[in-house]
Amino acid sequence: MKKKLVVYLAGLLTVLGLGFGQAQFSDVPAGHWAKEAVERIAACGLITGFPDGTFRGNTNLTRYQAALIFQRLLNEIQQGGECVKADGKGLSEEDLTAIRNAVQELAAELAALGVRVSALEDNAASKDDIARLEAAIEELKAMKAEPAAGMDEAALADLADRVEAASVAADTALAQAQVLAERLDAVEGDVAALKTQVEADADSIRALNELAVLLNQDVLSLQDRVTALEKQLGDVDFESFANREDVSAIQEFATALRSDLVRLSDRVSALDTRVGALDQRLTAVEGTRPTLTGSLSATYGYATNTGGNFDIDRLFPNNALSSGTGADDVSGNRIRNAFGRGDFNQTYTYGGASLSFGLKPTGGTISEVSLGLSADLVNSGAARTLALNSASVKGSLSGQAFSVTYNNDDSTFSFNPYLFNNSTVGDLITTRGFVATLDAKAFPLAPKFTVVAGEGIDSTSVPAASRVWGSDPTYGGLRAELNLLGITTGLSYAENRGNRSAFGVDYKGSLFGLVNLEGAYVASTPFAFTPDFSNQLVTDQAFYTKIGVKLGILEANFNYRAIDPQYNNGQAGLSSASSYYFFGLGGNGEAPYGANNIGFGFDGKLTLSFLNNIEARVFYDNSADFATRSQTADTLSLGVTVPLFAGFSLNGFYNNTNVNGGQVSAVAGTQSGLNGNYNFYVYNNLDARWSSGWGVKLVHSGRASNALVPNLDLNLWYQSFAGPDAGTDILASAGYNLKLGFISLNPIVRYHSFADAAGGNTNLSTNALKYGIGVSTDPLGIPLKPSLEGAFVQQSITETPPGSNSSSEQYWRVGLNLNEFLATGSVFKVGYARYNATNVVSPNPVGGAPARGFGNFPLSLTTDRVFNYPGEVRFPWNLTTGFGTNSGSVTGLYLEWKYGNLTMAAASATLANGSGATVSNGTGFKISYEVKF
């Protein structure tokens, strides 16, 4: 068949060559015997040559190249191209069929030949084998014995060579087996030592595995070679060239060799089994491998003043010397933000260590164990002992997940919003204790149990009347939680020994996916008292419920609440996450309604998606004093938001609020029955709720996808207040985030005007103007990669006649950052800033100068203020506090260098009064380093 295919191909190539131009190859010389054939198949496109224009006729043809040639040829035949025609005639159908069949048969033969070649390649002798064979041949040649008559000398030599090679391979395998047996005896040593040297033993076991694999391969190869040898011996007529004694000797040797190989194979199998067992034991050891992380930190520094403590955060936000958020550094009894706390009265020197130890056992009840440890290593007077900060154990008991956690300072837990709500403690309360949970899926209704125990300690700076925990700090509680019809329901009991005991019920979830429910009931009594639900002087009760429904375009939410006055500051419910501790941070705790309040409310919304998502809102609330029911308040609010075009929207609203039957311009929150800090008017809240009057707002959002000017925010507001504090309020503001190459700009402007219309009272008519800009650059692509940043803002508030008061604030800052200072990752910052104010209200002033601030609003469009009052928060007619008398300035220089975990910072600042005289100088220096491992 192959000869026939060659004939057909030769004829075909002859046809292909007719009538076509000839391709030229630089390495096919004129007169070459194959030049005509090469040019013919090249002209037909069957062979294109190499990119350098050569044919390379003496180079071997790979199977891939052959496949490509046949594919081009078959395509040409199938398409009936010009290459298969000659003088208008092509190959006959019979010829084409014969060629196709021949090609298929040849392909099958080539595939079989490839398998045989691969087998030969796999069984090819190594260089070492060849060397041994050559040595054996030389030895045989040197032998003086002559072959017997009739013997084939070459065949006998070949047989001897094969036997010698098999013997050498067998000796090698036996030697390797002996070495492997010795290593196995060593591995069978002390298991305890294995566990302490897991990493080193793991490498050894991996080496044994690899050796076993190689040895198995050698055994299989030897078996194949012995089998082939026996077959060859069985087929040879030894009488023609060897005597029977020689043949018998060779057969005996082969039998002995096979026995040795069988024994060697058995030992290798036994070795595999033992290595597998060691692997399993090693895996078990690695599964319980402990983890240890931690850190060592050291800090040295100080911050002092010469005439009084003052704040530096106003000059350099996020500086490394800041005292941060925490207890008021003057009164100490409430949480203040960083701008309300002084910075130049601190000692930074500290050295400490922290360790976190973790373990994840496998195959047992415990799945995870962790410990958190720390030690104070430097501070004088402190014990140099390792303290346990936290610990936790997690696992599964009969398929039921459980956990036990301990915290030495901030053990957080919450049963419901009015009972044992200690989820955010802060630094004024210490809760030290345990929290244990069990997800009891095996129980009926699959409840989840929570048990807490420990001690709660109020800071001594907190007034006694506001403290949560009693003189005996011990507390404990139990909670069971289960899910019924999509509603999570909880039953709880809690007590603080000698102080209070309470129990509660709460629920939250979606009923059938249609109605959202949330609520809680708590009954609290003095410790050891018998609950009397009919006597609110004995049993303090809190109850609230919320019901929410959403049906297509309509959303409605209802609520009812009745909260005893004793739940003020979280006392009756043993809840330190109350509004008291969040004072000054804009928070109201986590309870949804304030103490001494009974009432109900409705909040509804209608979204008209078919009218460009126009939204209409209605809000109503009615409340009264819980204790007397005599004080009442109600409010009604109607609002609508109409999306316009290009990011613009229009918001209109109407409100009416009454307290004790009389209209008020806005609720202050101090009237009895008004939820304290919960239900009160805040300037710029939604639809100006809890006020009286009407208004309209036109807003452009720069974040809208269809914004007219992206990143440009515009606000135009008009509001008319009704009631005893009647007046008109006008606000216009704009803010823009602009990127010009490597420069980022953030200009802002805000104008605010209130005109008193009531007359005859102490309300103020004022105009406020605030403008400024923030500037920053990207790091420049030059040495040190410097970048610049800065800000400027000016604010002024002027009382219109007949009043004449005025106040102002000015702030500016410039800074240089070297983002690659001497090394990659090294950042050096230097900044200089100044804040100047006149007639402002400042917390804890020093020498009449504004030593601290109330917040950070330099480039904010939401308020007139920069750092201090006056400025609206609730009512625009008195700017929250009225004008103040504090005047002065703070000026400072700040330097900071950070490289990895190393931080160095220094600052020098001056507090001056309104006349420019220095009141206090502040100096700070700090260096800290932390190593984590």
Side-chain angles (χ1 to χ4, degrees):
M1 177 57 65
K2 286 184 283 186
K3 293 181 180 179
K4 185 185 294 185
L5 177 62
V6 170
V7 172
Y8 278 117
L9 290 177
L12 177 62
L13 293 177
T14 302
V15 175
L16 294 176
L18 299 178
F20 291 90
Q22 296 178 341
Q24 300 292 328
F25 295 104
S26 59
D27 59 343
V28 181
H32 192 278
W33 61 272
K35 179 177 177 63
E36 182 179 359
V38 170
E39 290 179 345
R40 285 181 179 178
I41 62 175
C44 247
L46 299 183
I47 291 182
T48 59
F50 291 88
D52 59 357
T54 61
F55 181 75
R56 303 183 190 179
N58 295 322
T59 300
N60 291 334
L61 184 70
T62 68
R63 289 185 234 180
Y64 295 108
Q65 292 169 334
L68 183 61
I69 293 173
F70 279 122
Q71 188 263 345
R72 290 172 179 170
L73 174 60
L74 292 175
N75 285 345
E76 190 69 24
I77 294 173
Q78 183 178 7
Q79 296 172 2
E82 294 297 327
C83 286
V84 296
K85 296 179 180 179
D87 298 332
K89 299 180 179 178
L91 296 176
S92 67
E93 186 63 25
E94 180 180 358
D95 292 336
L96 292 178
T97 301
I99 290 175
R100 291 191 186 98
N101 294 336
V103 169
Q104 291 177 357
E105 293 184 18
L106 181 59
E109 292 182 14
L110 286 175
L113 181 60
V115 173
R116 296 172 60 190
V117 170
S118 298
L120 290 174
E121 291 174 347
D122 293 338
N123 295 320
S126 66
K127 292 182 178 180
D128 293 339
D129 294 334
I130 294 173
R132 288 195 295 268
L133 290 174
E134 289 176 347
I137 292 172
E138 293 297 326
E139 184 179 8
L140 289 174
K141 289 179 178 180
M143 295 176 61
K144 296 179 179 181
E146 297 297 332
M151 282 189 178
D152 188 333
E153 181 178 0
L156 182 60
D158 179 71
L159 178 61
D161 291 343
R162 291 174 181 270
V163 172
E164 178 64 19
S167 176
V168 170
D171 291 342
T172 302
L174 289 172
Q176 290 176 342
Q178 181 63 33
V179 172
L180 187 59
E182 294 174 356
R183 297 185 67 182
L184 176 61
D185 293 337
V187 171
E188 292 175 339
D190 190 2
V191 175
L194 173 65
K195 292 183 178 179
T196 61
Q197 299 179 359
V198 171
E199 296 298 335
D201 289 349
D203 295 336
S204 299
I205 290 175
R206 282 192 291 271
L208 287 174
N209 280 326
E210 294 173 358
L211 182 59
V213 172
L214 294 175
L215 198 54
N216 271 324
Q217 293 175 350
D218 291 341
V219 170
L220 293 175
S221 176
L222 286 173
Q223 289 175 338
D224 292 341
R225 295 170 67 180
V226 169
T227 300
L229 178 61
E230 289 178 337
K231 182 178 180 181
Q232 292 176 6
L233 290 174
D235 295 338
V236 173
D237 182 8
F238 290 100
E239 295 182 353
S240 62
F241 61 89
N243 58 39
R244 294 184 178 277
E245 289 78 7
D246 293 334
V247 173
S248 297
I250 293 174
Q251 289 177 336
E252 290 176 359
F253 176 76
T255 301
L257 180 61
R258 174 171 289 281
S259 298
D260 290 339
L261 291 176
V262 170
R263 288 194 297 272
L264 179 61
S265 178
D266 292 340
R267 297 195 64 182
V268 170
S269 298
L271 178 62
D272 281 340
T273 301
R274 303 183 71 175
V275 169
L278 288 175
D279 274 341
Q280 294 177 355
R281 296 167 66 184
L282 177 61
T283 300
V285 172
E286 291 179 334
T288 58
R289 181 182 299 174
T291 61
L292 181 64
T293 61
S295 67
L296 290 173
S297 61
T299 302
Y300 170 77
Y302 58 86
T304 62
N305 64 81
T306 60
N309 195 6
F310 60 99
D311 167 66
I312 195 178
D313 293 283
R314 290 171 294 174
L315 300 183
F316 308 103
N318 304 314
N319 68 85
L321 301 176
S322 173
S323 59
T325 298
D328 189 329
D329 62 329
V330 177
S331 66
N333 64 357
R334 294 198 177 189
I335 305 296
R336 301 290 185 183
N337 61 38
F339 299 88
R341 288 160 47 91
D343 298 313
F344 290 105
N345 187 21
Q346 301 182 77
T347 298
Y348 302 114
T349 302
Y350 169 79
S354 67
L355 293 174
S356 295
F357 174 82
L359 187 65
K360 293 186 176 181
T362 57
T365 301
I366 306 299
S367 62
E368 183 177 340
V369 178
S370 66
L371 296 174
L373 308 166
S374 68
D376 191 341
L377 305 178
V378 173
N379 288 347
S380 61
R384 306 297 191 268
T385 57
L386 199 62
L388 177 64
N389 289 337
S390 63
S392 70
V393 177
K394 297 180 180 180
S396 178
L397 184 62
S398 299
Q400 302 171 109
F402 71 88
S403 68
V404 180
T405 62
Y406 168 80
N407 194 284
N408 189 50
D409 184 57
D410 289 321
S411 181
T412 57
F413 48 90
S414 178
F415 284 2
N416 70 52
Y418 290 96
L419 179 62
F420 250 26
N421 188 357
N422 296 278
S423 58
T424 51
V425 176
D427 60 355
L428 292 178
I429 288 207
T430 296
T431 51
R432 180 183 299 115
F434 294 87
V435 178
T437 65
L438 172 64
D439 195 358
K441 295 180 179 179
F443 284 58
L445 301 179
K448 180 178 181 181
F449 295 104
T450 301
V451 178
V452 300
E455 57 181 5
I457 304 172
D458 293 273
S459 170
T460 56
S461 63
V462 176
S466 300
R467 296 178 186 176
V468 172
W469 306 105
S471 56
D472 185 339
T474 307
Y475 66 74
L478 171 65
R479 173 177 173 81
E481 181 181 293
L482 49 88
N483 190 290
L484 295 174
L485 302 176
I487 306 297
T488 300
T489 304
L491 302 174
S492 306
Y493 173 80
E495 68 176 34
N496 174 210
R497 185 180 303 170
N499 180 21
R500 280 188 172 270
S501 61
F503 71 90
V505 179
D506 58 88
Y507 49 90
K508 185 175 183 179
S510 179
L511 186 62
F512 306 117
L514 299 175
V515 180
N516 296 321
L517 299 176
E518 177 186 341
Y521 171 78
V522 178
S524 174
T525 61
F527 194 76
F529 275 55
T530 301
D532 184 354
F533 301 104
S534 64
N535 188 348
Q536 65 185 28
L537 298 179
V538 175
T539 301
D540 305 312
Q541 301 173 64
F543 171 72
Y544 83 94
T545 187
K546 296 180 180 180
I547 303 174
V549 179
K550 186 173 183 180
L551 299 174
I553 63 175
L554 177 64
E555 183 177 342
N557 297 281
F558 306 86
N559 74 79
Y560 174 82
R561 69 270 180 183
I563 315 297
D564 190 282
Q566 295 302 317
Y567 287 87
N568 188 37
N569 298 334
Q571 291 175 310
L574 303 173
S575 300
S576 56
S578 68
S579 61
Y580 177 86
Y581 299 98
F582 290 87
F583 181 85
L585 297 181
N588 295 318
E590 297 185 356
Y593 304 102
N596 193 29
N597 179 265
I598 183 170
F600 61 93
F602 170 79
D603 190 355
K605 180 172 67 175
L606 182 67
T607 303
L608 304 177
S609 56
F610 54 89
L611 291 178
N612 197 27
N613 288 321
I614 292 177
E615 184 176 285
R617 297 173 294 276
V618 57
F619 174 82
Y620 178 80
D621 194 273
N622 185 292
S623 61
D625 183 282
F626 180 90
T628 65
R629 306 295 203 272
S630 59
Q631 304 288 333
T632 62
D634 63 83
T635 185
L636 173 66
S637 175
L638 304 175
V640 61
T641 298
V642 181
L644 299 176
F645 57 91
F648 284 95
S649 63
L650 188 66
N651 171 213
F653 52 85
Y654 167 81
N655 300 288
N656 184 54
T657 302
N658 300 281
V659 175
N660 296 327
Q663 186 183 53
V664 295
S665 299
V667 171
T670 56
Q671 295 98 327
S672 179
L674 279 178
N675 271 335
N677 287 342
Y678 289 80
N679 289 355
F680 62 90
Y681 170 76
V682 176
Y683 191 78
N684 191 31
N685 67 355
L686 180 63
D687 296 330
R689 292 176 178 178
W690 293 99
S691 69
S692 295
W694 64 276
V696 63
K697 300 178 181 181
L698 178 65
V699 176
H700 175 269
S701 174
R703 296 175 297 278
S705 59
N706 62 337
L708 180 65
V709 180
N711 301 316
L712 174 64
D713 292 326
L714 295 173
N715 298 279
L716 297 173
W717 301 352
Y718 176 86
Q719 185 170 352
S720 175
F721 290 92
D725 296 303
T728 57
D729 190 75
I730 298 175
L731 174 68
S733 66
Y736 191 34
N737 290 316
L738 178 63
K739 182 76 172 179
L740 296 175
F742 65 95
I743 301 176
S744 297
L745 302 174
N746 175 213
I748 63 102
V749 60
R750 172 185 168 100
Y751 172 78
H752 182 203
S753 174
F754 178 79
D756 176 48
N761 56 30
T762 58
N763 288 348
L764 305 176
S765 295
T766 57
N767 293 321
L769 178 64
K770 176 181 177 181
Y771 56 90
I773 187 171
V775 182
S776 64
T777 70
D778 298 334
L780 302 180
I782 60 176
L784 304 181
K785 293 188 177 180
S787 62
L788 300 174
E789 63 91 17
F792 171 83
V793 62
Q794 174 75 48
Q795 176 259 82
S796 61
I797 301 177
T798 304
E799 185 181 4
T800 58
S804 60
N805 292 305
S806 64
S807 69
S808 66
E809 292 181 283
Q810 184 188 80
Y811 169 70
W812 56 266
R813 180 184 75 247
V814 293
L816 169 66
N817 298 339
L818 302 179
N819 298 287
E820 198 170 275
F821 181 65
L822 302 180
T824 301
S826 172
V827 180
F828 177 76
K829 299 178 181 180
V830 58
Y832 187 79
R834 177 180 174 86
Y835 169 67
N836 186 76
T838 59
N839 296 329
V840 299
V841 178
S842 174
N844 310 118
V846 175
R852 294 169 173 80
F854 284 100
N856 181 38
F857 311 101
L859 297 174
S860 172
L861 294 177
T862 61
T863 180
D864 298 336
R865 296 178 293 151
V866 177
F867 296 111
N868 294 97
Y869 293 114
E872 83 305 315
V873 171
R874 290 190 178 179
F875 322 114
W877 49 83
N878 68 1
L879 300 176
T880 301
T881 61
F883 290 91
T885 59
N886 302 132
S887 299
S889 64
V890 182
T891 307
L893 174 69
Y894 178 73
L895 299 96
E896 179 183 292
W897 176 51
K898 282 190 175 184
Y899 183 59
N901 295 324
L902 174 64
T903 300
M904 297 179 62
S908 176
T910 299
L911 176 67
N913 60 23
S915 63
T918 298
V919 174
S920 182
N921 288 314
T923 303
F925 172 76
K926 181 179 181 181
I927 178 171
S928 64
Y929 186 73
E930 181 179 29
V931 178
K932 296 182 179 180
F933 55 88

